[in-house]
Amino acid sequence: MRENIEFSHVTKKYANGVTALDDISFSVGSGVFGLLGHNGAGKTTLMKALVTVLSPSAGTIHVCNFDVRKQGNEVRKRIGYLPQELAMYPSLSVFDFVNYMAELKGVYDKKAVNEVLEQVEMMKFAKRKIKQLSGGMKRRVGIAQALIGNPQILVVDEPTAGLDPEERVRFRGLLSRYAREGRTVLLSTHIVEDVRQLCGKLAVLRKGRLFYAGTSDALLDRVKGKIKMLHLQNENQLMDLQKKSVVLQTTYESQGLTARIMDEDCCFPEAVPDAATLEDAYVYCMGGKAHA
Protein backbone atom coordinates (compact mmCIF):
# COMPACT_ATOMS: atom_id res chain seq x y z
CA MET A 1 0.00 0.00 0.00
CA ARG A 2 1.35 3.40 -0.98
CA GLU A 3 1.86 6.27 1.46
CA ASN A 4 -0.37 9.38 1.36
CA ILE A 5 2.42 11.37 -0.33
CA GLU A 6 5.32 10.07 -2.40
CA PHE A 7 8.12 12.20 -3.84
CA SER A 8 10.24 10.30 -6.37
CA HIS A 9 13.42 11.88 -7.83
CA VAL A 10 11.82 15.34 -7.85
CA THR A 11 13.98 18.03 -9.45
CA LYS A 12 13.16 21.67 -10.13
CA LYS A 13 15.44 23.79 -12.30
CA TYR A 14 14.54 27.37 -13.20
CA ALA A 15 15.29 29.11 -16.48
CA ASN A 16 18.00 31.22 -14.83
CA GLY A 17 19.99 28.05 -14.08
CA VAL A 18 19.11 27.80 -10.38
CA THR A 19 18.38 24.27 -9.16
CA ALA A 20 15.87 24.64 -6.33
CA LEU A 21 15.32 20.89 -5.86
CA ASP A 22 17.82 18.18 -6.75
CA ASP A 23 16.62 14.55 -6.93
CA ILE A 24 14.32 14.54 -3.86
CA SER A 25 12.79 11.19 -2.86
CA PHE A 26 10.87 10.34 0.32
CA SER A 27 7.36 9.34 1.37
CA VAL A 28 4.88 10.62 3.95
CA GLY A 29 2.29 8.54 5.78
CA SER A 30 -0.46 9.56 8.19
CA GLY A 31 0.18 11.86 11.17
CA VAL A 32 2.23 15.05 11.34
CA PHE A 33 5.37 14.98 9.20
CA GLY A 34 7.98 17.72 9.54
CA LEU A 35 9.91 19.29 6.67
CA LEU A 36 12.91 21.15 8.09
CA GLY A 37 15.43 23.37 6.37
CA HIS A 38 16.93 26.84 6.38
CA ASN A 39 15.48 29.68 4.28
CA GLY A 40 16.27 28.89 0.66
CA ALA A 41 16.62 25.14 1.24
CA GLY A 42 13.80 24.35 -1.19
CA LYS A 43 10.93 23.68 1.24
CA THR A 44 8.47 26.13 -0.30
CA THR A 45 9.32 25.00 -3.85
CA LEU A 46 8.61 21.41 -2.86
CA MET A 47 5.30 22.42 -1.25
CA LYS A 48 4.25 24.33 -4.37
CA ALA A 49 5.05 21.31 -6.53
CA LEU A 50 3.02 19.10 -4.20
CA VAL A 51 -0.08 21.32 -4.34
CA THR A 52 0.19 21.74 -8.15
CA VAL A 53 1.13 25.43 -8.07
CA LEU A 54 4.27 24.66 -10.10
CA SER A 55 5.51 21.65 -12.06
CA PRO A 56 8.78 19.86 -11.30
CA SER A 57 11.37 19.66 -14.05
CA ALA A 58 11.77 15.92 -13.46
CA GLY A 59 10.48 13.19 -11.18
CA THR A 60 6.99 12.37 -9.94
CA ILE A 61 4.77 13.23 -6.97
CA HIS A 62 1.80 11.07 -5.97
CA VAL A 63 -0.92 12.13 -3.55
CA CYS A 64 -3.27 9.34 -2.42
CA ASN A 65 -2.11 7.37 -5.50
CA PHE A 66 -2.90 10.26 -7.89
CA ASP A 67 -0.16 11.75 -10.07
CA VAL A 68 0.24 15.48 -9.36
CA ARG A 69 1.00 16.35 -12.98
CA LYS A 70 -1.52 14.09 -14.72
CA GLN A 71 -4.37 14.15 -12.20
CA GLY A 72 -4.16 17.61 -10.70
CA ASN A 73 -7.90 18.00 -10.11
CA GLU A 74 -8.03 14.81 -8.06
CA VAL A 75 -4.99 15.91 -6.06
CA ARG A 76 -6.44 19.35 -5.29
CA LYS A 77 -9.63 17.75 -3.95
CA ARG A 78 -7.56 15.98 -1.32
CA ILE A 79 -5.25 18.79 -0.23
CA GLY A 80 -5.75 21.83 1.97
CA TYR A 81 -2.96 24.40 1.64
CA LEU A 82 -1.80 27.26 3.83
CA PRO A 83 1.07 29.06 2.07
CA GLN A 84 3.65 31.08 3.96
CA GLU A 85 2.03 34.29 2.75
CA LEU A 86 -1.73 34.04 2.18
CA ALA A 87 -3.24 37.10 0.50
CA MET A 88 -6.40 38.18 2.29
CA TYR A 89 -9.03 40.83 1.58
CA PRO A 90 -8.74 43.19 4.58
CA SER A 91 -12.22 44.67 4.21
CA LEU A 92 -13.98 41.29 4.30
CA SER A 93 -15.23 39.74 7.51
CA VAL A 94 -13.70 36.48 8.72
CA PHE A 95 -16.82 34.56 7.67
CA ASP A 96 -17.07 36.21 4.26
CA PHE A 97 -13.40 35.56 3.49
CA VAL A 98 -13.54 31.86 4.41
CA ASN A 99 -16.87 31.50 2.61
CA TYR A 100 -15.34 33.09 -0.50
CA MET A 101 -12.38 30.66 -0.36
CA ALA A 102 -14.84 27.79 0.09
CA GLU A 103 -16.77 28.79 -3.04
CA LEU A 104 -13.52 28.91 -5.00
CA LYS A 105 -13.10 25.26 -4.00
CA GLY A 106 -16.65 24.47 -5.10
CA VAL A 107 -18.03 24.23 -1.57
CA TYR A 108 -21.32 26.17 -1.26
CA ASP A 109 -22.20 25.21 2.28
CA LYS A 110 -22.21 27.89 4.96
CA LYS A 111 -22.49 25.20 7.63
CA ALA A 112 -19.10 23.89 6.48
CA VAL A 113 -17.66 27.39 6.89
CA ASN A 114 -19.00 27.61 10.44
CA GLU A 115 -17.54 24.19 11.23
CA VAL A 116 -13.99 25.12 10.21
CA LEU A 117 -14.23 28.42 12.09
CA GLU A 118 -15.22 26.42 15.17
CA GLN A 119 -12.24 24.11 14.65
CA VAL A 120 -9.79 27.03 14.72
CA GLU A 121 -11.64 28.85 17.53
CA MET A 122 -12.60 31.81 15.33
CA MET A 123 -16.40 31.50 15.30
CA LYS A 124 -16.81 34.27 17.86
CA PHE A 125 -14.82 36.56 15.57
CA ALA A 126 -16.74 35.61 12.41
CA LYS A 127 -18.06 39.15 11.85
CA ARG A 128 -14.75 40.88 12.54
CA LYS A 129 -12.93 42.30 9.51
CA ILE A 130 -9.66 40.72 8.46
CA LYS A 131 -7.81 44.04 8.90
CA GLN A 132 -8.79 44.05 12.58
CA LEU A 133 -7.17 40.69 13.36
CA SER A 134 -3.86 39.97 15.05
CA GLY A 135 -1.17 37.98 13.23
CA GLY A 136 -2.07 34.80 15.09
CA MET A 137 -5.78 35.19 14.32
CA LYS A 138 -5.00 35.66 10.63
CA ARG A 139 -3.02 32.43 10.65
CA ARG A 140 -6.02 30.68 12.21
CA VAL A 141 -8.24 32.04 9.43
CA GLY A 142 -5.64 30.75 6.98
CA ILE A 143 -5.89 27.28 8.51
CA ALA A 144 -9.70 27.51 8.38
CA GLN A 145 -9.72 28.08 4.62
CA ALA A 146 -7.29 25.16 4.20
CA LEU A 147 -9.63 22.87 6.17
CA ILE A 148 -12.61 23.54 3.90
CA GLY A 149 -13.72 20.29 2.31
CA ASN A 150 -12.15 18.15 5.06
CA PRO A 151 -9.03 17.31 3.00
CA GLN A 152 -7.08 14.10 3.49
CA ILE A 153 -3.83 16.07 3.48
CA LEU A 154 -3.11 19.44 5.07
CA VAL A 155 0.00 21.26 3.82
CA VAL A 156 1.17 24.20 5.94
CA ASP A 157 4.20 26.34 5.17
CA GLU A 158 5.79 28.10 8.18
CA PRO A 159 2.45 28.39 10.06
CA THR A 160 3.94 29.55 13.38
CA ALA A 161 6.59 31.98 12.10
CA GLY A 162 6.30 35.27 13.96
CA LEU A 163 3.64 34.07 16.39
CA ASP A 164 3.84 34.46 20.15
CA PRO A 165 4.31 31.31 22.30
CA GLU A 166 0.62 31.02 23.19
CA GLU A 167 -0.45 31.06 19.53
CA ARG A 168 2.27 28.55 18.63
CA VAL A 169 0.97 26.15 21.27
CA ARG A 170 -2.57 26.66 19.94
CA PHE A 171 -1.43 25.87 16.39
CA ARG A 172 0.43 22.77 17.44
CA GLY A 173 -2.69 21.47 19.17
CA LEU A 174 -4.83 22.19 16.11
CA LEU A 175 -2.47 20.41 13.71
CA SER A 176 -2.10 17.44 16.05
CA ARG A 177 -5.88 17.05 16.36
CA TYR A 178 -6.34 17.19 12.60
CA ALA A 179 -3.72 14.52 11.89
CA ARG A 180 -5.93 11.69 13.05
CA GLU A 181 -7.91 8.92 11.39
CA GLY A 182 -5.34 8.39 8.65
CA ARG A 183 -4.99 12.05 7.68
CA THR A 184 -1.66 13.73 7.03
CA VAL A 185 -0.30 17.13 8.03
CA LEU A 186 2.86 18.15 6.19
CA LEU A 187 4.48 20.88 8.27
CA SER A 188 7.20 22.89 6.54
CA THR A 189 9.19 25.00 9.01
CA HIS A 190 12.58 26.10 10.27
CA ILE A 191 11.36 26.11 13.90
CA VAL A 192 12.80 22.93 15.40
CA GLU A 193 10.62 23.08 18.52
CA ASP A 194 7.45 22.70 16.44
CA VAL A 195 8.84 19.55 14.84
CA ARG A 196 10.02 18.18 18.19
CA GLN A 197 6.57 18.62 19.69
CA LEU A 198 4.55 17.26 16.77
CA CYS A 199 6.47 15.02 14.42
CA GLY A 200 7.58 11.43 14.79
CA LYS A 201 9.04 11.55 11.29
CA LEU A 202 10.71 14.32 9.34
CA ALA A 203 12.82 15.21 6.34
CA VAL A 204 15.65 17.76 6.24
CA LEU A 205 16.43 19.72 3.09
CA ARG A 206 19.78 21.40 2.63
CA LYS A 207 20.56 23.56 -0.41
CA GLY A 208 17.90 21.84 -2.49
CA ARG A 209 18.99 18.31 -1.64
CA LEU A 210 17.54 15.79 0.80
CA PHE A 211 19.93 15.44 3.72
CA TYR A 212 17.80 13.15 5.88
CA ALA A 213 14.40 11.44 5.93
CA GLY A 214 13.24 9.20 8.75
CA THR A 215 12.31 9.25 12.43
CA SER A 216 13.27 11.97 14.89
CA ASP A 217 14.90 9.33 17.10
CA ALA A 218 17.12 8.05 14.29
CA LEU A 219 18.24 11.60 13.52
CA LEU A 220 19.08 12.11 17.18
CA ASP A 221 21.21 8.97 17.08
CA ARG A 222 23.50 10.72 14.59
CA VAL A 223 24.62 13.24 17.19
CA LYS A 224 24.55 11.11 20.34
CA GLY A 225 27.97 11.18 21.98
CA LYS A 226 29.00 14.23 19.96
CA ILE A 227 27.46 16.91 22.21
CA LYS A 228 29.72 18.00 25.08
CA MET A 229 30.28 20.72 27.68
CA LEU A 230 33.66 22.41 27.92
CA HIS A 231 34.79 24.91 30.55
CA LEU A 232 36.83 27.87 29.30
CA GLN A 233 38.77 30.55 31.10
CA ASN A 234 38.16 33.53 28.83
CA GLU A 235 36.85 34.91 25.53
CA ASN A 236 40.13 34.23 23.73
CA GLN A 237 39.73 30.52 24.39
CA LEU A 238 36.16 30.74 23.07
CA MET A 239 37.33 32.40 19.85
CA ASP A 240 39.93 29.70 19.38
CA LEU A 241 37.34 26.98 20.08
CA GLN A 242 34.98 28.39 17.43
CA LYS A 243 37.66 27.76 14.80
CA LYS A 244 37.87 24.08 15.73
CA SER A 245 34.31 23.10 16.62
CA VAL A 246 30.65 24.09 16.33
CA VAL A 247 29.70 26.03 19.47
CA LEU A 248 26.01 25.44 20.14
CA GLN A 249 25.61 27.50 23.29
CA THR A 250 27.70 29.66 25.62
CA THR A 251 26.99 30.25 29.31
CA TYR A 252 28.95 32.92 31.19
CA GLU A 253 29.81 32.26 34.81
CA SER A 254 31.52 34.07 37.67
CA GLN A 255 34.77 32.36 36.72
CA GLY A 256 35.12 31.83 33.00
CA LEU A 257 32.43 30.34 30.80
CA THR A 258 31.03 27.02 29.63
CA ALA A 259 30.60 26.17 25.95
CA ARG A 260 28.25 23.50 24.66
CA ILE A 261 29.92 22.09 21.58
CA MET A 262 29.67 19.49 18.86
CA ASP A 263 32.80 17.37 19.23
CA GLU A 264 32.51 15.07 16.21
CA ASP A 265 36.04 13.70 16.23
CA CYS A 266 36.68 13.56 20.01
CA CYS A 267 39.17 16.41 19.79
CA PHE A 268 38.44 17.59 23.34
CA PRO A 269 39.02 14.73 25.82
CA GLU A 270 38.49 17.09 28.75
CA ALA A 271 34.92 17.89 27.63
CA VAL A 272 31.97 16.33 29.48
CA PRO A 273 29.24 14.54 27.45
CA ASP A 274 25.79 16.15 27.36
CA ALA A 275 22.38 14.91 26.15
CA ALA A 276 21.66 15.66 22.49
CA THR A 277 18.52 17.49 21.36
CA LEU A 278 16.70 17.62 18.03
CA GLU A 279 18.00 21.16 17.60
CA ASP A 280 21.55 19.80 17.90
CA ALA A 281 20.74 17.27 15.20
CA TYR A 282 19.35 20.03 12.99
CA VAL A 283 22.54 22.09 13.39
CA TYR A 284 24.45 18.95 12.47
CA CYS A 285 22.39 18.64 9.27
CA MET A 286 22.83 22.32 8.41
CA GLY A 287 26.61 22.23 8.53
CA GLY A 288 27.83 21.00 11.87
CA LYS A 289 29.11 17.93 10.12
CA ALA A 290 32.21 19.14 8.35
CA HIS A 291 32.03 16.74 5.44
CA ALA A 292 28.27 16.99 4.90
Side-chain angles (χ1 to χ4, degrees), residues 260-288:
R260 192 166 178 272
I261 65 170
M262 188 175 296
D263 184 15
E264 299 184 65
D265 301 314
C266 297
C267 297
F268 306 93
E270 70 276 27
V272 179
D274 193 31
T277 67
L278 190 60
E279 189 166 274
D280 298 331
Y282 178 60
V283 171
Y284 175 81
C285 291
M286 291 299 103

mmCIF file of all heavy atoms in Angstrom, residues 260-288:
data_model
loop_
_atom_site.group_PDB
_atom_site.id
_atom_site.type_symbol
_atom_site.label_atom_id
_atom_site.label_comp_id
_atom_site.label_asym_id
_atom_site.label_seq_id
_atom_site.Cartn_x
_atom_site.Cartn_y
_atom_site.Cartn_z
ATOM 1 N N ARG A 260 28.866 24.760 25.086
ATOM 2 C CA ARG A 260 28.248 23.500 24.657
ATOM 3 C C ARG A 260 28.613 23.306 23.195
ATOM 4 O O ARG A 260 28.269 24.135 22.353
ATOM 5 C CB ARG A 260 26.740 23.575 24.839
ATOM 6 C CG ARG A 260 26.014 22.250 24.714
ATOM 7 C CD ARG A 260 24.579 22.389 25.251
ATOM 8 N NE ARG A 260 23.856 21.137 25.105
ATOM 9 C CZ ARG A 260 23.182 20.794 24.010
ATOM 10 N NH1 ARG A 260 23.152 21.616 22.979
ATOM 11 N NH2 ARG A 260 22.547 19.635 23.946
ATOM 12 N N ILE A 261 29.313 22.233 22.902
ATOM 13 C CA ILE A 261 29.919 22.090 21.582
ATOM 14 C C ILE A 261 29.534 20.778 20.908
ATOM 15 O O ILE A 261 29.057 19.854 21.562
ATOM 16 C CB ILE A 261 31.461 22.174 21.666
ATOM 17 C CG1 ILE A 261 32.015 20.974 22.462
ATOM 18 C CG2 ILE A 261 31.911 23.488 22.288
ATOM 19 C CD1 ILE A 261 33.522 20.847 22.403
ATOM 20 N N MET A 262 29.787 20.721 19.607
ATOM 21 C CA MET A 262 29.673 19.490 18.859
ATOM 22 C C MET A 262 31.088 18.974 18.605
ATOM 23 O O MET A 262 31.826 19.522 17.790
ATOM 24 C CB MET A 262 28.924 19.722 17.538
ATOM 25 C CG MET A 262 28.598 18.443 16.792
ATOM 26 S SD MET A 262 27.599 18.760 15.315
ATOM 27 C CE MET A 262 26.097 19.419 16.043
ATOM 28 N N ASP A 263 31.454 17.946 19.324
ATOM 29 C CA ASP A 263 32.798 17.372 19.230
ATOM 30 C C ASP A 263 32.709 16.080 18.422
ATOM 31 O O ASP A 263 32.611 14.983 18.968
ATOM 32 C CB ASP A 263 33.340 17.108 20.638
ATOM 33 C CG ASP A 263 34.776 16.596 20.628
ATOM 34 O OD1 ASP A 263 35.439 16.723 19.572
ATOM 35 O OD2 ASP A 263 35.223 16.070 21.653
ATOM 36 N N GLU A 264 32.738 16.221 17.097
ATOM 37 C CA GLU A 264 32.508 15.073 16.211
ATOM 38 C C GLU A 264 33.660 14.075 16.209
ATOM 39 O O GLU A 264 33.460 12.876 16.034
ATOM 40 C CB GLU A 264 32.245 15.563 14.790
ATOM 41 C CG GLU A 264 31.014 16.446 14.674
ATOM 42 C CD GLU A 264 30.734 16.833 13.240
ATOM 43 O OE1 GLU A 264 30.428 15.928 12.448
ATOM 44 O OE2 GLU A 264 30.849 18.021 12.907
ATOM 45 N N ASP A 265 34.866 14.567 16.367
ATOM 46 C CA ASP A 265 36.042 13.703 16.232
ATOM 47 C C ASP A 265 36.783 13.486 17.544
ATOM 48 O O ASP A 265 37.959 13.116 17.543
ATOM 49 C CB ASP A 265 36.990 14.300 15.185
ATOM 50 C CG ASP A 265 36.323 14.443 13.826
ATOM 51 O OD1 ASP A 265 35.669 13.475 13.400
ATOM 52 O OD2 ASP A 265 36.427 15.521 13.213
ATOM 53 N N CYS A 266 36.099 13.751 18.672
ATOM 54 C CA CYS A 266 36.683 13.560 20.008
ATOM 55 C C CYS A 266 38.004 14.320 20.144
ATOM 56 O O CYS A 266 39.021 13.772 20.611
ATOM 57 C CB CYS A 266 36.892 12.078 20.286
ATOM 58 S SG CYS A 266 35.354 11.132 20.325
ATOM 59 N N CYS A 267 37.972 15.574 19.729
ATOM 60 C CA CYS A 267 39.171 16.410 19.794
ATOM 61 C C CYS A 267 39.376 17.033 21.166
ATOM 62 O O CYS A 267 40.430 17.633 21.429
ATOM 63 C CB CYS A 267 39.086 17.520 18.745
ATOM 64 S SG CYS A 267 39.032 16.922 17.050
ATOM 65 N N PHE A 268 38.367 16.923 22.042
ATOM 66 C CA PHE A 268 38.439 17.594 23.339
ATOM 67 C C PHE A 268 38.187 16.563 24.446
ATOM 68 O O PHE A 268 37.070 16.454 24.980
ATOM 69 C CB PHE A 268 37.421 18.735 23.411
ATOM 70 C CG PHE A 268 37.540 19.724 22.288
ATOM 71 C CD1 PHE A 268 36.782 19.579 21.128
ATOM 72 C CD2 PHE A 268 38.442 20.777 22.365
ATOM 73 C CE1 PHE A 268 36.907 20.485 20.086
ATOM 74 C CE2 PHE A 268 38.572 21.681 21.322
ATOM 75 C CZ PHE A 268 37.801 21.535 20.173
ATOM 76 N N PRO A 269 39.194 15.796 24.811
ATOM 77 C CA PRO A 269 39.020 14.733 25.815
ATOM 78 C C PRO A 269 38.586 15.249 27.180
ATOM 79 O O PRO A 269 38.004 14.509 27.970
ATOM 80 C CB PRO A 269 40.404 14.079 25.877
ATOM 81 C CG PRO A 269 41.344 15.103 25.307
ATOM 82 C CD PRO A 269 40.573 15.857 24.292
ATOM 83 N N GLU A 270 38.867 16.525 27.456
ATOM 84 C CA GLU A 270 38.485 17.089 28.754
ATOM 85 C C GLU A 270 37.017 17.498 28.807
ATOM 86 O O GLU A 270 36.481 17.827 29.878
ATOM 87 C CB GLU A 270 39.371 18.293 29.081
ATOM 88 C CG GLU A 270 39.134 19.550 28.228
ATOM 89 C CD GLU A 270 39.884 19.540 26.898
ATOM 90 O OE1 GLU A 270 40.175 18.436 26.369
ATOM 91 O OE2 GLU A 270 40.167 20.630 26.384
ATOM 92 N N ALA A 271 36.326 17.499 27.672
ATOM 93 C CA ALA A 271 34.921 17.890 27.626
ATOM 94 C C ALA A 271 34.032 16.806 28.227
ATOM 95 O O ALA A 271 34.331 15.617 28.149
ATOM 96 C CB ALA A 271 34.507 18.173 26.187
ATOM 97 N N VAL A 272 32.914 17.237 28.822
ATOM 98 C CA VAL A 272 31.968 16.332 29.480
ATOM 99 C C VAL A 272 30.762 16.088 28.562
ATOM 100 O O VAL A 272 30.161 17.040 28.066
ATOM 101 C CB VAL A 272 31.483 16.937 30.816
ATOM 102 C CG1 VAL A 272 30.469 16.017 31.490
ATOM 103 C CG2 VAL A 272 32.668 17.202 31.738
ATOM 104 N N PRO A 273 30.378 14.829 28.324
ATOM 105 C CA PRO A 273 29.236 14.543 27.445
ATOM 106 C C PRO A 273 27.942 15.163 27.967
ATOM 107 O O PRO A 273 27.717 15.264 29.174
ATOM 108 C CB PRO A 273 29.153 13.009 27.470
ATOM 109 C CG PRO A 273 30.531 12.565 27.836
ATOM 110 C CD PRO A 273 31.058 13.604 28.788
ATOM 111 N N ASP A 274 27.082 15.576 27.017
ATOM 112 C CA ASP A 274 25.788 16.150 27.364
ATOM 113 C C ASP A 274 24.724 15.521 26.459
ATOM 114 O O ASP A 274 25.026 15.049 25.363
ATOM 115 C CB ASP A 274 25.808 17.675 27.160
ATOM 116 C CG ASP A 274 24.606 18.346 27.790
ATOM 117 O OD1 ASP A 274 24.110 17.846 28.811
ATOM 118 O OD2 ASP A 274 24.163 19.391 27.253
ATOM 119 N N ALA A 275 23.469 15.503 26.931
ATOM 120 C CA ALA A 275 22.385 14.905 26.147
ATOM 121 C C ALA A 275 22.132 15.713 24.875
ATOM 122 O O ALA A 275 22.109 16.946 24.898
ATOM 123 C CB ALA A 275 21.113 14.831 26.990
ATOM 124 N N ALA A 276 21.928 15.017 23.768
ATOM 125 C CA ALA A 276 21.661 15.664 22.490
ATOM 126 C C ALA A 276 20.177 16.008 22.360
ATOM 127 O O ALA A 276 19.311 15.327 22.905
ATOM 128 C CB ALA A 276 22.079 14.753 21.345
ATOM 129 N N THR A 277 19.892 17.080 21.642
ATOM 130 C CA THR A 277 18.518 17.494 21.365
ATOM 131 C C THR A 277 18.283 17.473 19.853
ATOM 132 O O THR A 277 19.227 17.401 19.055
ATOM 133 C CB THR A 277 18.243 18.906 21.881
ATOM 134 O OG1 THR A 277 19.022 19.849 21.109
ATOM 135 C CG2 THR A 277 18.610 19.037 23.361
ATOM 136 N N LEU A 278 17.019 17.579 19.457
ATOM 137 C CA LEU A 278 16.699 17.617 18.032
ATOM 138 C C LEU A 278 17.293 18.859 17.378
ATOM 139 O O LEU A 278 17.698 18.832 16.212
ATOM 140 C CB LEU A 278 15.180 17.588 17.835
ATOM 141 C CG LEU A 278 14.697 17.385 16.395
ATOM 142 C CD1 LEU A 278 15.194 16.069 15.826
ATOM 143 C CD2 LEU A 278 13.177 17.469 16.321
ATOM 144 N N GLU A 279 17.376 19.947 18.137
ATOM 145 C CA GLU A 279 17.998 21.156 17.597
ATOM 146 C C GLU A 279 19.479 20.925 17.313
ATOM 147 O O GLU A 279 20.014 21.403 16.307
ATOM 148 C CB GLU A 279 17.819 22.324 18.565
ATOM 149 C CG GLU A 279 18.255 23.663 17.971
ATOM 150 C CD GLU A 279 17.762 24.837 18.786
ATOM 151 O OE1 GLU A 279 16.618 25.272 18.557
ATOM 152 O OE2 GLU A 279 18.521 25.301 19.651
ATOM 153 N N ASP A 280 20.156 20.170 18.162
ATOM 154 C CA ASP A 280 21.552 19.802 17.898
ATOM 155 C C ASP A 280 21.658 19.021 16.592
ATOM 156 O O ASP A 280 22.542 19.255 15.775
ATOM 157 C CB ASP A 280 22.106 18.935 19.032
ATOM 158 C CG ASP A 280 22.130 19.646 20.367
ATOM 159 O OD1 ASP A 280 22.254 20.883 20.379
ATOM 160 O OD2 ASP A 280 22.011 18.963 21.392
ATOM 161 N N ALA A 281 20.722 18.084 16.407
ATOM 162 C CA ALA A 281 20.737 17.268 15.197
ATOM 163 C C ALA A 281 20.495 18.122 13.960
ATOM 164 O O ALA A 281 21.090 17.892 12.898
ATOM 165 C CB ALA A 281 19.682 16.174 15.300
ATOM 166 N N TYR A 282 19.635 19.126 14.112
ATOM 167 C CA TYR A 282 19.354 20.035 12.987
ATOM 168 C C TYR A 282 20.597 20.847 12.633
ATOM 169 O O TYR A 282 20.933 21.014 11.453
ATOM 170 C CB TYR A 282 18.190 20.949 13.358
ATOM 171 C CG TYR A 282 17.845 21.972 12.298
ATOM 172 C CD1 TYR A 282 17.454 21.573 11.022
ATOM 173 C CD2 TYR A 282 17.899 23.333 12.577
ATOM 174 C CE1 TYR A 282 17.125 22.504 10.058
ATOM 175 C CE2 TYR A 282 17.569 24.273 11.611
ATOM 176 C CZ TYR A 282 17.183 23.856 10.361
ATOM 177 O OH TYR A 282 16.867 24.780 9.400
ATOM 178 N N VAL A 283 21.293 21.356 13.640
ATOM 179 C CA VAL A 283 22.545 22.091 13.394
ATOM 180 C C VAL A 283 23.548 21.189 12.684
ATOM 181 O O VAL A 283 24.259 21.613 11.764
ATOM 182 C CB VAL A 283 23.130 22.619 14.720
ATOM 183 C CG1 VAL A 283 24.527 23.191 14.503
ATOM 184 C CG2 VAL A 283 22.214 23.683 15.323
ATOM 185 N N TYR A 284 23.581 19.941 13.101
ATOM 186 C CA TYR A 284 24.451 18.946 12.467
ATOM 187 C C TYR A 284 24.111 18.814 10.974
ATOM 188 O O TYR A 284 24.995 18.802 10.116
ATOM 189 C CB TYR A 284 24.243 17.621 13.198
ATOM 190 C CG TYR A 284 24.963 16.420 12.627
ATOM 191 C CD1 TYR A 284 26.297 16.191 12.908
ATOM 192 C CD2 TYR A 284 24.277 15.484 11.851
ATOM 193 C CE1 TYR A 284 26.944 15.068 12.430
ATOM 194 C CE2 TYR A 284 24.928 14.352 11.378
ATOM 195 C CZ TYR A 284 26.253 14.147 11.657
ATOM 196 O OH TYR A 284 26.902 13.044 11.173
ATOM 197 N N CYS A 285 22.818 18.749 10.659
ATOM 198 C CA CYS A 285 22.391 18.643 9.270
ATOM 199 C C CYS A 285 22.716 19.902 8.478
ATOM 200 O O CYS A 285 23.057 19.830 7.280
ATOM 201 C CB CYS A 285 20.880 18.411 9.202
ATOM 202 S SG CYS A 285 20.315 16.812 9.791
ATOM 203 N N MET A 286 22.642 21.054 9.125
ATOM 204 C CA MET A 286 22.830 22.315 8.413
ATOM 205 C C MET A 286 24.288 22.722 8.259
ATOM 206 O O MET A 286 24.591 23.772 7.717
ATOM 207 C CB MET A 286 22.074 23.441 9.131
ATOM 208 C CG MET A 286 20.561 23.328 9.042
ATOM 209 S SD MET A 286 19.950 23.392 7.337
ATOM 210 C CE MET A 286 19.608 21.664 7.022
ATOM 211 N N GLY A 287 25.209 21.890 8.734
ATOM 212 C CA GLY A 287 26.608 22.230 8.526
ATOM 213 C C GLY A 287 27.534 21.888 9.661
ATOM 214 O O GLY A 287 28.749 22.063 9.546
ATOM 215 N N GLY A 288 26.985 21.402 10.767
ATOM 216 C CA GLY A 288 27.832 21.001 11.872
ATOM 217 C C GLY A 288 28.768 19.873 11.476
ATOM 218 O O GLY A 288 29.894 19.781 11.931
#
